[in-house]
Amino acid sequence: MTVAAAPGPRWLGDVGQLALAGVLALTLLPVGWTSVTEGDVATGWEIALLVALVTLHASVVTARRRPLESYVAGALAELVLVAAPDLGGPTAAAAGSEFGPVLLPSSLCFFALLYAVSAQDRRPWPGVALGIALVGCLLTVVRVWHFDGTGLQGWTWWLMVTTATLAATMAAWALGRFRATRAAWADQVADRAAAEERQRIAREMHDVVAHSLAVVVSHAEAGRMVVGQQPERAAGILDTIANTGREALTEMRGLLGVLGGQSSRQARYIASTEPQPGLTDIGDLVERMRAAGLNVSLETDEPGQVAPAVGLTAYRVVQEALTNVTRHAGPGAAATVSVQRTGRHLQVEVNDDGVGAQSPPGRGLRGMRERVAAVGGTLETGPSSDGWRVRAMMPL
């Protein structure tokens, strides 16, 4: 699993990481540095300990960009602190006993590194990092077993150290995995929303293109037949073709704007502000289809106000059904559109007396079914006693 980057500019996260590293260095490193330089250890160990402390804090700086590499460097630095001899000097005197360098405050940087690798890296590295950390907990408990500067009894000190190291380790790892899981979940939600939006746009594009082309083709064929005999009708036919194409172009521009980038901002604005068709527009749709040459009638009992999604779905169902009549019902077919309120449902029915049928269903019927299901309704399509019937029932 690859964890997606957090939202927002990447430099902002880098600044936050630098701030965290700076705070840790300013508050933890001076104590550790002084304790090592005054700790009465051999020069070789002193140099190794100072390098380990610097490595721990430097690893915090790079943990966001290079979590695995930073964790490995921090783990090696912690191993040096565990293996080094006890520190003496003023710090040990203040503590009441010599102590292992692993007790230096800079060891807390290791938990920040464990969080980073568990939150940002791919499997199996978070699990491997946890295993290494748990081994480190065991080594730490063994290393500080005999520290008696706290005045606590042996078993009490052992229990406190074991509980603290395990709790901090598991907390850092669990927080990192929570962040990774949350980021993965957010990605899945975004992908699902994008897929649904693409599906919605595909349905819209199909409806717009299929309907508009059906009207344009019908008028073009009618114009070819009548232009020689009734030239006065040519202007009206051409106007209808132009208006239909213009409307289709406007809708297509809005839909493509949703798919576009920053250069399509104006188109996205048009898509978001243009009103979607609804129940009140079904009459105009029927008139346009009638003008295109389809014998179609409308029966409605004025169902009143409905939700915009239901109204748009009803409009698209009628649009697709009438488009299919022109494409599949055959010449001279007649259609009837019925829009009625039935109890707490809106019933939209389109019947025709043609001979066409779709088997298997095409994209148009699948799109209608998906639209109706999206608003909680059902769709029935199939042959009737007279021809073909499309019936949608949608809750109000």
Side-chain angles (χ1 to χ4, degrees):
M1 176 182 66
T2 302
V3 179
R10 190 171 184 181
W11 62 265
L12 187 60
D14 292 337
V15 170
Q17 191 70 27
L18 288 174
L20 173 63
V23 170
L24 292 177
L26 290 175
T27 56
L28 305 181
L29 186 57
V31 175
W33 192 275
T34 302
S35 300
V36 171
T37 56
E38 299 177 354
D40 297 332
V41 294
T43 303
W45 277 114
E46 180 178 341
I47 294 174
L49 288 172
L50 292 178
V51 171
L53 292 178
V54 172
T55 300
L56 274 172
H57 288 279
S59 297
V60 178
V61 177
T62 60
R64 187 172 185 269
R65 294 291 186 105
R66 301 287 183 180
L68 183 59
E69 294 86 345
S70 301
Y71 179 81
V72 172
L76 293 175
E78 281 291 318
L79 185 60
V80 173
L81 297 183
V82 170
D86 288 347
L87 298 175
T91 305
S97 172
E98 292 186 350
F99 60 94
V102 72
L103 292 178
L104 292 174
S106 293
S107 293
L108 295 175
C109 294
F110 179 77
F111 300 117
L113 302 177
L114 177 59
Y115 168 83
V117 74
S118 63
Q120 301 180 41
D121 227 309
R122 301 178 180 180
R123 292 178 178 176
W125 298 119
V128 173
L130 177 61
I132 294 174
L134 293 177
V135 173
C137 289
L138 176 61
L139 295 177
T140 299
V141 172
V142 173
R143 180 65 181 83
V144 300
W145 184 280
H146 299 292
F147 178 68
D148 55 5
T150 62
L152 300 174
Q153 295 182 6
W155 70 270
T156 306
W157 166 247
W158 174 84
L159 180 62
M160 185 182 71
V161 172
T162 303
T163 303
T165 53
L166 285 177
T169 297
M170 294 305 301
W173 184 84
L175 286 174
R177 296 313 299 158
F178 171 77
R179 181 184 183 277
T181 302
R182 184 176 180 274
W185 174 80
D187 285 344
Q188 291 178 357
V189 171
D191 291 342
R192 189 180 302 114
E196 293 175 353
E197 182 65 11
R198 287 193 296 270
Q199 191 175 34
R200 183 192 69 81
I201 292 173
R203 290 195 300 263
E204 291 286 344
M205 293 181 70
H206 172 271
D207 292 343
V208 170
V209 172
H211 171 73
S212 299
L213 286 181
V215 174
V216 169
V217 170
S218 298
H219 275 73
E221 291 178 346
R224 184 177 56 187
M225 291 185 295
V226 304
V227 68
Q229 301 175 357
Q230 297 175 304
E232 68 277 3
R233 294 183 56 189
I237 293 175
L238 293 176
D239 286 342
T240 301
I241 293 176
N243 292 333
T244 302
R246 191 177 299 111
E247 292 175 2
L249 182 62
T250 300
E251 293 193 54
M252 288 290 293
R253 185 179 294 125
L255 293 173
L256 293 176
V258 176
L259 297 174
Q262 291 299 320
S263 61
S264 301
R265 182 176 301 172
Q266 181 179 4
R268 289 201 307 275
Y269 173 77
I270 294 174
S272 63
T273 55
E274 285 290 330
Q276 293 288 340
L279 282 182
T280 57
D281 300 297
I282 291 180
D284 294 336
L285 173 63
V286 170
E287 288 297 327
R288 286 198 301 270
M289 297 301 295
R290 187 179 293 125
L294 178 64
N295 184 8
V296 55
S297 60
L298 174 63
E299 300 174 358
T300 179
D301 60 357
E302 298 297 332
Q305 294 293 328
V306 300
V310 174
L312 174 61
T313 301
Y315 181 91
R316 294 304 189 194
V317 167
V318 174
Q319 183 184 55
E320 178 63 25
L322 293 181
T323 301
N324 287 340
V325 171
T326 63
R327 295 169 60 187
H328 304 291
T336 301
V337 178
S338 173
V339 181
Q340 298 178 344
R341 181 187 292 265
T342 305
R344 301 182 64 178
H345 289 78
L346 178 69
Q347 176 179 292
V348 178
E349 187 171 332
V350 180
N351 289 279
D352 68 75
D353 58 2
V355 296
Q358 289 191 350
S359 181
R363 175 182 290 272
L365 291 181
R366 290 197 301 270
M368 278 195 291
R369 197 174 304 278
E370 292 171 357
R371 284 183 180 278
V372 174
V375 296
T378 58
L379 180 73
E380 299 176 4
T381 62
S384 64
S385 58
D386 297 326
W388 188 266
R389 179 180 64 188
V390 174
R391 176 188 294 169
M393 297 289 291
M394 293 168 284
L396 295 174

